[in-house]
């Protein structure tokens, strides 16, 4: 009897959870609707539509007006914060000087308790390993010509 009431209670909890999940997903799905480009009106696809979009992006949410002085102030604050962070860092060129490329993947080794081992893979080839939290990098032998994607 006790097992029957426990299983019945568990079944009701599962059904309740499923119904809450299902109906909440249904509400979210109806909130946004995809509109293919072929169905966009000429106004939305013209310079007038672009102007309306920029108006929405740049306007003050409370007033609906574009405050040019506030935009310049915000831009200056971003510029000052970005330059102060970059200028406070001590940058040094570490190479490589003989190959080009970009980093596609970075992996922190979760088996390393110290959190110091990092791997980086390049699009044009090469797997590199750092044992001091990206302070110095060494190529992993056997992976110098393997593109990472």
């Amino acid at each position: 009897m006790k097992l029957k009431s426990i299983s019945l209670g568990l079944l009701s909890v599962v059904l309740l959870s499923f119904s809450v999940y299902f109906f909440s997903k249904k509400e979210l799905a109806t909130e946004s609707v995809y509109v293919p480009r072929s169905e966009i009106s000429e106004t939305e696809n013209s310079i007038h539509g672009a102007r309306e979009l920029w108006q929405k992006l740049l306007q003050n949410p409370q007033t609906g007006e574009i405050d040019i002085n506030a935009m310049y102030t915000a831009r200056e604050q971003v510029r000052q914060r970005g330059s102060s962070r970059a200028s406070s860092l001590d940058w040094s060129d570490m190479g490589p000087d003989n190959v080009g490329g970009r980093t596609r993947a970075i992996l922190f080794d979760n088996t390393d308790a110290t959190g110091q081992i990092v791997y980086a893979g390049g699009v044009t080839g090469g797997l590199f390993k750092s044992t001091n939290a990206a302070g110095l990098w060494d190529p992993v032998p056997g992976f110098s010509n393997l593109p990472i994607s």
Side-chain angles (χ1 to χ4, degrees):
M1 184 70 178
K2 197 175 200 181
L3 181 62
K4 190 175 184 180
S5 63
I6 290 175
S7 61
L8 189 60
L10 182 62
L11 179 64
S12 62
V13 168
V14 168
L15 286 175
L16 180 65
S17 300
F18 176 77
S19 62
V20 168
Y21 175 78
F22 178 77
F23 288 115
S24 67
K25 282 292 192 184
K26 191 174 182 181
E27 280 183 15
L28 292 176
T30 59
E31 288 178 7
S32 61
V33 177
Y34 171 73
V35 178
R37 288 182 182 226
S38 61
E39 295 179 17
I40 295 176
S41 69
E42 283 298 316
T43 304
E44 292 174 332
N45 207 15
S46 68
I47 189 68
H48 302 293
R51 184 184 176 284
E52 289 176 17
L53 175 64
W54 277 106
Q55 174 76 25
K56 289 178 185 177
L57 291 173
L58 298 176
Q59 72 186 5
N60 182 324
Q62 284 80 27
T63 64
E65 300 293 321
I66 298 176
D67 184 2
I68 298 297
N69 292 329
M71 287 176 50
Y72 285 131
T73 303
R75 183 176 291 167
E76 183 62 24
Q77 288 174 351
V78 169
R79 190 187 63 75
Q80 287 175 353
R81 287 183 185 150
S83 65
S84 66
R85 286 184 182 168
S87 63
S88 66
L89 297 175
D90 184 24
W91 294 93
S92 61
D93 184 13
M94 298 178 70
D97 298 325
N98 58 349
V99 294
R102 61 192 185 276
T103 302
R104 173 66 72 181
I106 293 181
L107 173 76
F108 291 86
D109 189 352
N110 63 355
T111 62
D112 178 33
T114 63
Q116 299 289 309
I117 298 179
V118 184
Y119 292 93
V123 174
T124 56
L127 181 64
F128 298 88
K129 179 180 180 181
S130 173
T131 56
N132 61 355
L136 295 173
W137 293 93
D138 295 312
V140 176
F143 292 94
S144 61
N145 201 18
L146 178 70
I148 308 296
S149 60

